Amino acid sequence: MSKWKRGLALAGAVFLLVIFCLPMYFALTGTFSMGKFMASLAGALFAAVMAYAMWLMYRLLNRKRLEKDGRRIKNVIFDVGNVLVDYDWKTYLKGFHFPEEEEKKLAKEIFQSDIWNERDKGLYDEEEYIRRFIEKAPEYKKDIRRVLRETPKTIGTKDYAQTWVQYLKKRGYRLYILSNYSEYMLERTKAKMNFLKYMDGAVFSCDVKEVKPEPAIYKILLEDYGLKPEECVFIDDREENCRGARKLGMHAVRFHDFKQATADLEALGVK
């Protein structure tokens, strides 16, 4: 509370105290008269009624303000990769110490390929995806298998993740996950996600065969958990995924770093 508000509240409290004490003052002093006593009693009652009316008005105006600045948000929806966990495929790939030409080729045909994104949809088993990766660079067949086998090493939980979700949970928000994630990776990294136990629900792309930013996956989350879009804020590191959420009526915050994201959430009333 600001200083001027504290001062105003203190002045109001002193004024009410004086008003309520006047009837007793006139009753106990030698200057007692029924007229003064009744007038002071009426003043005290009037002050009480006015104070109550002002309190009700404050609550009404405050509620409208909160609605206006977005504090009616009840649900916080998180992406996982690069929001709650680190996804660092570049450092991971460099760790193999492949020749520069091979490293660039593997980066392009694995992590930067459409197949990698399709893999999150989970339409085929892992072996089929491996076969399709190898088709792009058959000369590196053995290394492609090795790189894909150890891809869970690209994932590490961010230091703030558990504390962040714990804090929001204690503040009364309901928490959800909406993430593009392959079945192979999910099975092998889920144990690292210490924040999952605080979630009220989760939708992973490999489980529902849909991926962001297509509308279907957002609708699945909303419908499965009975969420109203206008009461949700979605946090994702990719702008196209944020746009997908906004198109369905949700608030969205593009994640760059923890400090920026929490500031953007606070601007929406989530704090």
Side-chain angles (χ1 to χ4, degrees):
M1 185 182 291
S2 62
K3 290 183 178 180
W4 74 267
K5 287 183 178 179
R6 283 197 294 267
L8 189 61
L10 180 60
V14 171
F15 174 75
L16 289 175
L17 182 62
V18 171
I19 291 294
F20 285 122
C21 288
L22 280 177
M24 185 174 294
Y25 170 79
F26 288 122
L28 297 178
T29 62
T31 59
F32 174 80
S33 73
M34 184 58 70
K36 290 182 178 180
F37 176 77
M38 293 303 295
S40 60
L41 182 60
L45 292 174
F46 177 75
V49 171
M50 288 301 296
Y52 181 67
M54 290 173 66
W55 178 73
L56 289 178
M57 182 62 70
Y58 171 79
R59 287 193 60 187
L60 178 62
L61 294 175
N62 192 52
R63 184 169 61 191
K64 288 183 177 180
R65 180 181 64 81
L66 294 180
E67 290 175 356
K68 183 178 180 180
D69 69 11
R71 297 192 188 185
R72 298 299 293 174
I73 291 173
K74 299 178 181 178
N75 313 296
V76 181
I77 304 167
F78 292 93
D79 177 32
V80 173
N82 292 324
V83 176
L84 295 177
V85 304
D86 284 311
Y87 167 55
D88 187 4
W89 65 265
K90 292 181 180 179
T91 301
Y92 165 72
L93 188 57
K94 284 188 178 296
F96 287 94
H97 304 291
F98 294 128
E100 184 178 355
E101 181 181 348
E102 180 180 357
E103 181 181 315
K104 289 181 178 179
K105 181 70 172 178
L106 293 179
K108 178 182 177 182
E109 303 302 348
I110 297 178
F111 298 104
Q112 297 173 328
S113 72
D114 291 338
I115 299 172
W116 181 267
N117 296 327
E118 291 172 15
R119 185 169 171 244
D120 288 343
K121 207 166 187 177
L123 297 178
Y124 308 103
D125 61 28
E126 183 64 14
E127 192 58 37
E128 172 60 18
Y129 287 113
I130 293 174
R131 185 190 68 75
R132 293 173 67 185
F133 282 122
I134 291 173
E135 280 184 350
K136 295 285 188 177
E139 67 274 27
Y140 299 124
K141 176 179 179 179
K142 182 178 179 181
D143 288 337
I144 287 174
R145 284 190 172 276
R146 181 185 172 196
V147 168
L148 288 171
R149 183 173 61 250
E150 299 180 32
T151 46
K153 293 180 180 179
T154 63
I155 301 298
T157 305
K158 289 184 177 291
D159 294 339
Y160 59 76
Q162 184 170 345
T163 303
W164 192 14
V165 298
Q166 272 185 300
Y167 170 79
L168 290 171
K169 192 73 174 179
K170 289 179 181 178
R171 297 289 293 173
Y173 294 100
R174 296 182 69 81
L175 309 180
Y176 300 90
I177 293 292
L178 181 64
S179 181
N180 288 352
Y181 222 102
S182 74
E183 183 178 0
Y184 181 85
M185 293 286 283
L186 185 59
E187 289 177 350
R188 290 159 180 78
T189 62
K190 206 169 187 177
K192 298 180 182 181
M193 302 181 194
N194 53 14
F195 48 82
L196 285 178
K197 59 188 173 184
Y198 302 102
M199 297 297 160
D200 294 286
V203 171
F204 289 99
S205 60
C206 62
D207 293 330
V208 297
K209 314 305 180 189
E210 299 286 352
V211 293
K212 298 174 296 184
E214 296 302 317
I217 193 168
Y218 301 94
K219 291 178 181 178
I220 288 171
L221 177 74
L222 295 173
E223 292 170 4
D224 283 1
Y225 297 103
L227 308 180
K228 296 179 180 179
E230 65 274 14
E231 295 178 347
C232 300
V233 59
F234 176 55
I235 308 166
D236 197 291
D237 65 306
R238 301 181 67 175
E239 181 57 31
E240 61 267 34
N241 294 340
C242 291
R243 284 198 301 268
R246 293 188 190 106
K247 286 179 181 178
L248 291 175
M250 289 188 273
H251 303 273
V253 167
R254 184 177 180 185
F255 185 94
H256 298 285
D257 57 62
F258 175 67
K259 185 177 180 179
Q260 161 266 322
T262 53
D264 287 351
L265 285 176
E266 186 171 346
L268 290 170
V270 178
K271 55 185 178 179

